[in-house]
Structures are given as structure tokens and as C-alpha cells.
Amino acid sequence: TVQAGELDTDGIAIGTLSANGGTLGDAASNSLNTTLNSVGSTTAVLVDALGPVGYSVSFDQNPINDANAASISFSITGAEIGSTYNYTISSSEGETNVTGTGTIVTTNDHVGGIDLSTLADGTITLDFTLTDIHNNLGNTVSDAVIKGTDIDNDGIQDSSDNCPSMANSDQLDTDTDGEGDVCDMDDDNDGTPDSEDAFPLDNSEDTDTDGDGTGNNADTDDDNDGTPDSEDAFPLDNSEDTDTDGDGTGNNADTDDDNDGTPDSEDAFPLDNSEDTDTDGDGTGNNADTDDDNDGTPDSEDAFPLDNSEDTDTDGDGIGNNADTDDDNDGTLDSIDDFPLDNSEDTDTDGDGKGNNVDTDDDNDGTPDSEDAFPLDPTEDKDSDNDGIGDNADTDDDSLATVNIPIPAEAFTPNGDGINDAWVVPGINNYPNNVVKVFNRSGHEVYAKRNYQNDWNGRHKSGSSKLPAGSYLYVIDLGNGTAPLQGWIFINY
């Protein structure tokens, strides 16, 4: 029988036995037989033969790094009080192991102040055993952590960290270049820095001009201006899509879209470099339009193709006939010119449609002008006494018959050939007080001279131009009190 006893920390009963011989089983496991081998002895001691069980260890720091390596600790749970512990801490990368020993004070104990700074970085393994007071050795238990520098304190040792300087516990490395995204300047390795990359994790895109979330490579309208990129001359500029003249400046900014030299603001066809003007506004440019001013006269026949109020310039003076007061520039205003478009005629005394210059009987009295003393007066044709009064009206037709009256030349040719270049009035020098005047068929004075010296060369009295060929009326006052002489002189060139 057990005289006295107790359970040790591993649950094994220990006691003093009465000895009559025989055996005694382990009170806890019934697996240990202790033989009383002191025959005749009154007592025997039952000794514990099992090592400690059911304990574990764990590092208090994980990971171990430069900041904590000099003062590492570990915790023990389920330990047998009074047992002796032994530990060995080693590195997978070698270096001298760190060992230690001590006595368990409490079931859940703690060991600290361990310096592991000399151990190489790597996997740090703690091997721990207990030996009870009966010198029974328990099983070895272990724990392992990583030792190494972890500058960014993200739990990943620098030796394994793809971005040791910046925390990235997820270790994301999109382009698998060994450099974590948080510190990789080009996460998708497409050549565009992340700071400039609209799609830093997509190596097929880097730009999104219109910010619609679709990269330019996939977007069919990069600038979102409504014009597909395939038709857009400026696919990345939403203010431009067309460059008509291909000069690199879009039409919205270009002041001459068709580059024809005419600013768009003045160009009726700003997108057509073959046209810039549409005078009549009919939608057809002047270059293609056959009647630019739409006045009904084709441009090929129109002296003023851009002016619908004019189409003719008879005298070529640059003023259209509608505005010109002397269309044929013969010195006779159109308003009194019987032939305003014929500079060789301006008068038709008898209204027969023939100008006096070509009409052989200007007054249509049946007497040719060459024989008619009054070619412009159908009531007279003779002046027998040359007194300037026709015989029909003269009451003394021969009153001056004995007077020596000058007879002027009927024609002259002031063409500068030295022959008949001046109008000659024979005997005019006998009348120093004479006054000679010449009129065109409209009655306008074209020449006047006092004391005529047979030197008139057919120029207008202003001296600016020669008079047109034709017939002119002369009036000569001899200055002697007799009636003035009048008749017709013909100028020819």
C-alpha cells in the first residue's frame, strides 16, 4: 500500500511503499513497473522514469531585424516547474549558434535578453528541451522566424523584399521585373514613366487624351471631338479636326484655310484654292463663272465683268458708258451727241441717220454740201454776194459782189507730213482785225483766234488734242464792218 505520496508535474505518483515483495504500477499510466528489489527492507522509493511532455515555445519577435536582434525573447507554455530548459538558436545561413539554459519557474515562462545580432540573416530556428528534476529529457520543440533588415517595416525582409525602401507587404510587381510597383517608376514597363502614364499597369496604353477612361490605342476618337481619329487631322486636339491646305495649322486657327493667299475672312470659297471671289453671289466662283456680275453679258464680252451696272466702254477711257458723259470721247457730250458711240460723228442735222461728216447733204435740201453756202440750213443754199445772208433772205444778193472777199480752203490734212498741215484763208492777212472761230457740228466752239495767220493745225483751242476728222463750221469776222463769212471746213488725216 502507498503509505504517503504525491503527483509530480508530469502526473507520475511518487511515494514510499511497504515491501513484502512484488511489483507496483505507475499510478498515472499503469505503464511503469517498479520492482521492490530490497528484499527484507521495510520500505522502497518509487522513482519517475518519464521526461516532461506537452510544452511549446515561440519567438516573441517576428521578424527579427536590426532594430530588435540584440534583445530577442521567447515564450514557453505548458512547462514542468523546476525542470531545466536548454535552447539553441541557429541561422540557416550559418554563423555561431546562440545557446542558453535555465530553470522553469512557472508553467508559462518567458526567456529574454537574447542577443542574436551576430547570427546571419536567414531563417532563425529555436530548438528547446526540458529536463525534469529526475533528469528525464523531454522532446525537442521548435519555432522559426526570419531574421533580416526590413527598412520599410512591411514584414518582408530586405533580402526578399522587391521594394525594400517602401512598404509593400503585397509585393505586387506588375511587369515582373523584380522591382515592386510601389517603387517601380514604370510599373508596366511600357517605356512611359508612371507619373506620365494614364494606364501605369497596362503596357498596351499610356495616354488618354480625352480622359474618357479608354486609352488612345483603343479609343477611336482620342480627343472626343466627334470626328473619328481615322478622319481627324488633329486626333489629339478637340479644337481642330481639319487642315484643308495641309500646312499643319488646323482650319479653326488658320487664317487662310486653302492657302490661296486670300484670308478666309475675305474668301468666298475659303476651302477651295481655285476660287476666292463670287461677285454676283450665285454660288459659282468667278474663275468658273462665265458672267461674274450676272448682268447678262458674258465676261468675255464685258468691259466691266465685275460691275453689273456697266458692260461697255466705247472710248476705252476706263469709265463705263452708263457713267461716262462722253462715251466716244469726241468732245461732244452724249446728251447732245447724235452719235454718242461714234467719235467720227456727233451731228445729224437732217435726222436721216447719217452723220454730217459722211452725209453729202447735211440739211437734205437737195444741194450737196460742197455747193451749199448754208449746208446746215435747208431754207438756204446760195449767198451770191457772200454777205453771209442767203439769197432767200438777202434783199440785195449782189451788194458785195465787188468786194474782194477771202475764200477759205475747204479742207486740210494736219497729219504732220508738211503738206496742207494748216488751214489757209487766202488774203486773210489783208484784214488784221479779223476774228476766226470754228465750231463742231454740235455748235461748240473748238477754235478761236484774233488776227488769224493761217497757222491752225486742227488742234482743239485748248491745245490738248487734235480734233476728230470731220466737218466743222467756221465763222470769220474780217473786222471791216462786213457781215461775217461762214462755211464748212473738213479736217482729214
Side-chain angles (χ1 to χ4, degrees), residues 10 47 101 130 193 249 296 329 335 360 419 450 483 490:
D10 62 1
V47 179
T101 188
L130 285 178
T249 302
N329 201 29
S335 59
T360 58
I419 301 173
R450 182 179 297 278
F490 188 81

Side-chain angles (χ1 to χ4, degrees), residues 214-280:
T214 301
N216 286 6
N217 292 334
D219 198 341
T220 57
D221 183 7
D222 290 343
D223 56 11
N224 201 29
D225 61 358
T227 302
D229 295 340
S230 57
E231 303 170 17
D232 197 332
F234 302 88
L236 303 182
D237 181 355
N238 64 6
S239 68
E240 296 283 358
D241 59 10
T242 305
D243 182 12
T244 298
D245 54 11
D247 63 357
T249 302
N251 286 5
N252 292 334
D254 199 341
T255 57
D256 183 7
D257 289 344
D258 55 12
N259 201 28
D260 61 357
T262 301
D264 295 340
S265 58
E266 304 170 15
D267 197 333
F269 302 89
L271 304 182
D272 180 357
N273 63 7
S274 68
E275 295 283 359
D276 58 8
T277 306
D278 181 14
T279 299
D280 55 12

Side-chain angles (χ1 to χ4, degrees), residues 284-360:
T284 301
N286 287 4
N287 292 335
D289 199 342
T290 57
D291 183 7
D292 290 342
D293 56 11
N294 201 29
D295 61 358
T297 302
D299 295 340
S300 58
E301 304 171 15
D302 196 333
F304 301 90
L306 304 182
D307 181 355
N308 63 6
S309 68
E310 297 282 359
D311 58 9
T312 305
D313 181 13
T314 299
D315 54 10
D317 62 357
I319 302 175
N321 286 4
N322 293 333
D324 199 343
T325 57
D326 183 7
D327 289 344
D328 55 11
N329 201 29
D330 61 358
T332 301
L333 297 178
D334 295 341
S335 59
I336 56 175
D337 194 335
D338 290 333
F339 301 91
L341 303 181
D342 182 356
N343 63 6
S344 68
E345 296 283 359
D346 58 10
T347 306
D348 182 14
T349 300
D350 55 11
D352 63 357
K354 293 181 181 180
N356 287 2
N357 291 335
V358 298
D359 197 344
T360 58

Side-chain angles (χ1 to χ4, degrees), residues 324-481:
D324 199 343
T325 57
D326 183 7
D327 289 344
D328 55 11
N329 201 29
D330 61 358
T332 301
L333 297 178
D334 295 341
S335 59
I336 56 175
D337 194 335
D338 290 333
F339 301 91
L341 303 181
D342 182 356
N343 63 6
S344 68
E345 296 283 359
D346 58 10
T347 306
D348 182 14
T349 300
D350 55 11
D352 63 357
K354 293 181 181 180
N356 287 2
N357 291 335
V358 298
D359 197 344
T360 58
D361 184 6
D362 290 343
D363 55 9
N364 202 27
D365 61 357
T367 301
D369 293 342
S370 57
E371 304 172 11
D372 196 334
F374 301 92
L376 302 181
D377 183 355
T379 65
E380 296 283 358
D381 58 4
K382 295 185 185 322
D383 182 13
S384 298
D385 55 9
N386 288 320
D387 61 359
I389 301 173
D391 288 358
N392 290 335
D394 197 347
T395 57
D396 185 6
D397 292 340
D398 59 0
S399 61
L400 298 178
T402 59
V403 178
N404 183 17
I405 302 299
I407 301 176
E410 295 181 351
F412 69 111
T413 57
N415 55 15
D417 63 356
I419 301 173
N420 201 26
D421 283 335
W423 181 45
V424 177
V425 182
I428 192 68
N429 57 322
N430 295 321
Y431 304 92
N433 296 321
N434 72 77
V435 176
V436 173
K437 293 183 179 181
V438 180
F439 302 85
N440 64 21
R441 289 186 175 275
S442 298
H444 298 288
E445 183 180 279
V446 297
Y447 180 74
K449 183 69 178 291
R450 182 179 297 278
N451 189 18
Y452 181 61
Q453 298 294 315
N454 290 329
D455 54 0
W456 181 45
N457 60 2
R459 287 188 175 273
H460 190 276
K461 63 181 180 179
S462 66
S464 60
S465 61
K466 290 183 178 181
L467 293 171
S471 297
Y472 293 84
L473 177 68
Y474 64 80
V475 176
I476 302 174
D477 184 352
L478 296 176
N480 62 355

